[in-house]
Amino acid sequence: MTDLCAEDLATIYAKPSPRVIAKARPAIDAHAKKFIEMSPFCVLATSGVDGSVDASPRGGGVGFVHVAGPNQVLMPDRAGNNRIDSFRNVVEGSGFVHLLFFVPGIDETLRVGGRGTLSADPDLLASMVEFGKPPRAVLNVAVSEVYFHCGKALMRSKLWSPEKVQRSVMPSIGQVIHDQTGLGEPESQEIVEERYKTQL
């Protein structure tokens, strides 16, 4: 297999249309704001000081990411595995972040990019209580690019199809991690999910 180089790409892909280029906006408009306010889930991408890239799922109630202005969004950080790979990248790496927002039932997605900083200001944390708890920190993104992606990827994947994979086709996440690491005890998915409910 031969790897492609930059010159090869122009022979495979046509130039994007002016409309595709122009849709990247420098700020959050009314359409993007509405989409973010409807979204319960996004993927956060960051880059590390060594050039590595991290992408992690983030979720909450509908509109859990707050639009504070046309060039500012605030994302509360909830309980997780404490690896904090994304946040280490924000404070030690490039600081550049991208958020990819999803709204169940809509095939289009929204990309929001900019430079991130972190805050643990008590008043800010207190303003973002969800699931009965304040966040541990808040990601503040100075937004510089916003654009909608077409729905082709989600249409191809049928992501919102009512046909769902039964969870039982995979071992529990507790079993998977036990098999991979030899650490801890293998737990059933039911036990794992009950524990999750107390840690949201």
Side-chain angles (χ1 to χ4, degrees):
M1 182 170 57
T2 304
D3 293 341
L4 297 176
C5 64
E7 291 76 17
D8 296 325
L9 297 179
T11 68
I12 298 172
Y13 297 96
K15 287 185 178 180
S17 70
R19 187 177 185 185
V20 167
I21 299 297
K23 74 176 182 175
R25 312 307 299 163
I28 297 168
D29 67 2
H31 301 296
K33 182 175 185 289
K34 181 175 182 178
F35 198 89
I36 294 168
E37 289 172 346
M38 293 189 299
S39 174
F41 176 80
C42 69
V43 176
L44 168 64
T46 60
S47 57
V49 67
D50 60 354
S52 62
V53 177
D54 181 77
S56 65
R58 302 295 167 124
V62 170
F64 77 103
V65 174
H66 299 250
V67 178
N71 292 101
Q72 184 185 26
V73 295
L74 300 170
M75 174 189 287
D77 183 51
R78 304 297 173 191
N81 59 19
N82 294 321
R83 284 181 54 114
I84 57 173
D85 297 315
S86 299
F87 284 175
R88 286 193 193 283
N89 287 347
V90 168
V91 300
E92 297 173 356
S94 71
F96 290 113
V97 304
H98 264 87
L99 301 168
L100 185 62
F101 288 93
F102 295 76
V103 174
I106 297 179
D107 287 327
E108 289 76 23
T109 54
L110 177 72
R111 184 145 101 188
V112 175
R115 188 176 286 275
T117 55
L118 294 176
S119 175
D121 177 79
D123 291 337
L124 181 59
L125 300 183
S127 73
M128 295 183 147
V129 171
E130 189 176 16
F131 309 108
K133 303 171 188 174
R136 299 176 298 175
V138 173
L139 174 64
N140 179 13
V141 181
V143 174
S144 58
E145 184 180 53
V146 182
Y147 64 92
F148 282 94
H149 283 280
C150 76
K152 292 176 186 173
L154 271 68
M155 291 172 71
R156 291 183 190 115
S157 68
K158 299 179 181 173
L159 186 63
W160 308 132
S161 168
E163 298 177 10
K164 292 184 173 57
V165 172
Q166 295 300 311
R167 182 62 186 82
S168 58
V169 303
M170 280 287 292
S172 74
I173 189 65
Q175 182 69 55
V176 169
I177 293 173
H178 174 75
D179 291 347
Q180 292 173 337
T181 67
L183 300 174
E185 294 298 322
E187 298 174 310
S188 70
Q189 191 66 20
E190 291 76 19
I191 291 173
V192 172
E193 289 177 3
E194 282 303 313
R195 187 172 67 252
Y196 282 169
K197 290 176 185 177
T198 67
Q199 298 173 347
L200 294 176

